[in-house]
Amino acid sequence: MSNKIPRRTWLKAAAVTAVASLVGNTRAEPQDPTKTQGASPGKLGSRSPFEQPEKKPSDISSRTPLQDLYGTITPSDLHFERSHAGVPVIDPEKYELLIHGMVERPMIFRLKDLKRFPAFSRIAFIECSGNFRTGKTTMTPQEICGLTSQSEWTGVMLSTLFREVGVSPKASWFLAEGSDAAVMTRSIPVSKGLEDGMIAYAQNGEAIRPQQGYPARLFLPGWEGNTNVKWIRRIELSDQPFMTREETSKYTETVKDGKIRQFSFDMDARSVITYPSYPQQVEKGWIEIRGIAWSGRGKIDSVEVSTDAGKNWTKAILQEPVLDKAHTYFRHLWRWDGQTTEIMSRAIDDTGYRQPTLQQLINARGTDMGGYHVNPVTAWVLQQDGTVLFKPEKWK
Ligand SMILES: Nc1nc2c(c(=O)[nH]1)N[C@H]1C(S)=C(S)[C@@H](COP(=O)(O)O)O[C@H]1N2
Ligand SMILES: [Mo]
């Protein structure tokens, strides 16, 4: 594009554009940055004033702006939030985690006790089981499925703590209890705790954020968001589930014939194209379609992309590393001829599970399937003028 323009002219043009977009946008006077000393190093970094990604808060949650992100790590201040009774303030000096019930030695761990154990880190996503919205064409990935984010979590493995307290071989479930006003409680199979559960006290290299459970939360890779109890204060071992309100009145799904599914822990494989998506605009020619795919059951095996409304599908390129139970970046280079079309993606995980369409979900679970574990293929309509719209499908 710029190869015919002499470099000097091009640079000037770029400067003019920058000045134009600065007006009304920032306090800084637009200057030639090579002629004046820049700002001094500060105590904290900050975002460029030209970049203002934001979460979308409601009373109960706040969504990650997936369409504004690159790669797979969610900046901590953009991690989605879902709290049933607000974010409590917990003094790390007074923090205690009690582990009791069917154990040899009931114990209380302070934060500094937790930090004495081997510190384990892993990159994985969290997704709320209620992560699906539809209805209008002007919806962003954030609005449709922004209740998922990814971090590098650091903490102590539950298997380590379970060994420390001597969990009885007869214990098959544990209760995880939070210290927020919701006193959120969930029953979790001991097998999951031993497999890859952890008590996380850090997120992306710093102490976990208050919104994510400061000073410590339960982290169960790949399992529905609500099992990842934040501000965790108590774990009780038992030989049966506790049947709390979060697993009886809530977080169950109607399947078919009046049957209800309970303890639907795994998050099913899903993907979404984040570029191009609403409200972005594209030009005719080469477009790199990009997005994220994830599965609560394992690794992403492949992502298929269709640029002709689902008639033909091509394998996208997966960006390494492809991690277990982690958002995985995919890309697909495509030449758009400028005609109106629909683009979409579907994820296939290493268990062979393939992301369904909304219609397939409805066929399998009935029209009153409720709002949990709804992970349909998301389609975007590219219009001739280069604008992109969400394609909402009839649901209920
Ligand atoms: N103590 C406590 N833990 C909680 C919740 C809560 O309200 N209280 N919300 C749960 C729900 S529904 C979800 S989806 C995840 C959200 O985690 P995040 O806010 O760190 O994104 O936390 C879970 N853990
Ligand atoms: Mo959730």
Side-chain angles (χ1 to χ4, degrees):
M1 179 205 355
S2 62
N3 54 2
K4 291 199 196 96
I5 306 171
R7 195 173 139 79
R8 248 162 202 281
T9 328
W10 183 78
L11 280 176
K12 246 188 230 156
V16 171
T17 325
V19 170
S21 60
L22 260 168
V23 175
N25 228 340
T26 100
R27 284 138 270 127
E29 271 294 305
Q31 286 163 334
D32 178 348
T34 66
K35 297 288 184 279
T36 41
Q37 172 82 14
S40 302
K43 286 190 176 167
L44 288 175
S46 61
R47 261 184 203 116
S48 160
F50 299 98
E51 303 290 333
Q52 293 177 340
E54 279 183 352
K55 294 201 264 194
K56 275 234 148 121
S58 70
D59 289 349
I60 57 165
S61 70
S62 191
R63 301 168 159 259
T64 294
L66 298 172
Q67 67 281 358
D68 298 328
L69 304 185
Y70 308 89
T72 60
I73 300 290
T74 311
S76 299
D77 61 356
L78 295 175
H79 195 287
F80 86 92
E81 287 173 48
R82 169 74 179 103
S83 300
H84 292 72
V87 177
V89 179
I90 295 167
D91 180 347
E93 291 294 321
K94 299 199 182 115
Y95 173 80
E96 288 182 343
L97 171 62
L98 165 67
I99 306 186
H100 68 144
M102 292 175 68
V103 303
E104 279 168 38
R105 297 169 293 276
M107 286 175 87
I108 288 175
F109 301 92
R110 296 162 300 175
L111 189 59
K112 57 181 170 196
D113 300 327
L114 294 177
K115 290 182 180 172
R116 286 185 65 188
F117 291 104
F120 181 83
S121 293
R122 87 177 279 172
I123 293 171
F125 73 86
I126 296 188
E127 181 178 22
C128 177
S129 55
N131 192 20
F132 178 61
R133 293 280 181 285
T134 182
K136 52 183 199 285
T137 56
T138 52
M139 286 175 83
T140 60
Q142 176 173 32
E143 290 166 303
I144 299 161
C145 58
L147 293 176
T148 184
S149 310
Q150 175 147 288
S151 298
E152 183 197 57
W153 302 97
T154 300
V156 48
M157 297 305 289
L158 264 187
S159 54
T160 306
L161 297 177
F162 281 1
R163 201 178 323 116
E164 199 69 12
V165 297
V167 165
S168 157
K170 292 205 187 90
S172 49
W173 290 81
F174 68 90
L175 182 80
E177 180 183 87
S179 51
D180 53 334
V183 194
M184 174 105 184
T185 43
R186 281 297 322 248
S187 311
I188 310 293
V190 167
S191 55
K192 176 63 177 176
L194 292 174
E195 186 197 332
D196 58 4
M198 67 195 272
I199 300 294
Y201 47 72
Q203 173 187 12
N204 296 334
E206 61 177 343
I208 197 167
R209 301 239 164 175
Q211 297 79 9
Q212 267 64 63
Y214 183 85
R217 85 179 302 164
L218 178 61
F219 183 57
L220 300 175
W223 278 26
E224 58 180 15
N226 64 71
T227 62
N228 295 259
V229 172
K230 301 190 274 190
W231 316 291
I232 188 163
R233 70 172 181 190
R234 190 168 73 90
I235 289 178
E236 182 179 343
L237 279 298
S238 173
D239 55 6
Q240 52 192 301
F242 291 75
M243 297 301 175
T244 73
R245 70 169 183 259
E246 316 296 352
E247 48 215 24
T248 49
S249 76
K250 286 178 74 182
Y251 301 123
T252 58
E253 302 92 42
T254 314
V255 269
K256 266 198 158 168
D257 312 321
K259 288 213 178 86
I260 293 189
R261 186 166 76 172
Q262 196 178 24
F263 300 119
S264 39
F265 293 128
D266 293 302
M267 292 309 293
D268 296 315
R270 188 166 184 181
S271 68
V272 64
I273 292 172
T274 53
Y275 180 86
S277 67
Y278 179 79
Q280 296 149 358
Q281 180 137 16
V282 289
E283 284 171 40
K284 199 170 132 172
W286 291 106
I287 292 175
E288 189 176 62
I289 295 174
R290 301 173 187 145
I292 48 169
W294 63 98
S295 168
R297 294 209 177 80
K299 289 185 184 177
I300 288 297
D301 170 81
S302 50
V303 176
E304 296 172 342
V305 170
S306 172
T307 54
D308 58 4
K311 283 183 217 92
N312 296 287
W313 296 85
T314 317
K315 269 193 184 177
I317 293 170
L318 298 187
Q319 171 65 56
E320 296 289 340
V322 176
L323 300 172
D324 185 35
K325 299 161 189 161
H327 285 174
T328 302
Y329 209 48
F330 67 86
R331 325 192 287 264
H332 176 67
L333 191 59
W334 170 57
R335 189 165 199 160
W336 182 40
D337 61 9
Q339 295 309 305
T340 299
T341 189
E342 276 173 36
I343 60 169
M344 55 191 84
S345 63
R346 64 183 180 206
I348 297 129
D349 70 17
D350 64 4
T351 68
Y353 175 95
R354 183 182 297 258
Q355 183 184 2
T357 60
L358 189 57
Q359 194 52 54
Q360 286 168 334
L361 277 171
I362 293 169
N363 294 348
R365 282 162 56 187
T367 42
D368 56 354
M369 62 177 159
Y372 301 128
H373 294 272
V374 186
N375 60 326
V377 166
T378 301
W380 301 102
V381 182
L382 244 68
Q383 308 189 104
Q384 281 186 4
D385 63 359
T387 53
V388 188
L389 291 175
F390 172 52
K391 188 186 175 198
E393 288 168 273
K394 242 189 120 45
W395 187 22
K396 299 180 190 188

